Amino acid sequence: MGSSGSGNFSDYSGKQKTESGNDSSGGSSGSDKCSEAFTASLEDVASHDFYKNHGAPPPVGTPLTVGIKGRIIAVAGTESVGSIPTRLNYLAGCLRDGFTYTGVVTASSNGSHPQVQADFVVK
């Protein structure tokens, strides 16, 4: 079965379940996920601005940032590149708390299903 959310970060309460089953948010869970680097395979690349404007995903080495446009997205300059996977929706709270993320395209492929892989760190 699939998930029942809309794909927007508003589906995410900002709270995570700890091993004991209690809700926690931010750094109170013992580890501050907002401060951790992450890798993501971007979703819906063909429907984002970069692909629409250039007919191809950005090449390896392209600098990226993370922003919000309905969903959490990766951005190259002023063009959206792809959606960050919903498993990383906790980043919405991190962004609201003032964290910023920079990244770089580490893999890029074009074709019937364009793909972009990227690594991100806290700025």
Side-chain angles (χ1 to χ4, degrees):
M1 296 208 118
S3 64
S4 61
S6 67
N8 291 325
F9 72 87
S10 60
D11 295 334
Y12 180 70
S13 69
K15 296 187 183 225
Q16 299 171 332
K17 295 285 186 186
T18 62
E19 289 180 18
S20 64
N22 297 325
D23 287 338
S24 69
S25 60
S28 63
S29 65
S31 70
D32 186 2
K33 293 192 68 79
C34 292
S35 297
E36 296 177 4
F38 62 94
T39 297
S41 294
L42 302 182
E43 299 175 348
D44 307 319
V45 173
S47 66
H48 282 268
D49 296 338
F50 194 97
Y51 189 85
K52 288 179 180 179
N53 294 339
H54 303 278
V60 170
T62 301
L64 300 172
T65 57
V66 174
I68 297 176
K69 183 179 176 183
R71 278 188 64 179
I72 303 168
I73 59 169
V75 179
T78 60
E79 298 173 304
S80 64
V81 173
S83 299
I84 301 289
T86 56
R87 69 178 172 80
L88 298 169
N89 273 357
Y90 67 87
L91 292 171
C94 301
L95 292 167
R96 280 193 304 265
D97 288 344
F99 284 86
T100 58
Y101 300 89
T102 59
V104 64
V105 174
T106 57
S108 178
S109 65
N110 204 355
S112 61
H113 185 71
Q115 297 181 0
V116 174
Q117 177 90 13
D119 290 339
F120 295 90
V121 296
V122 178
K123 183 176 175 185

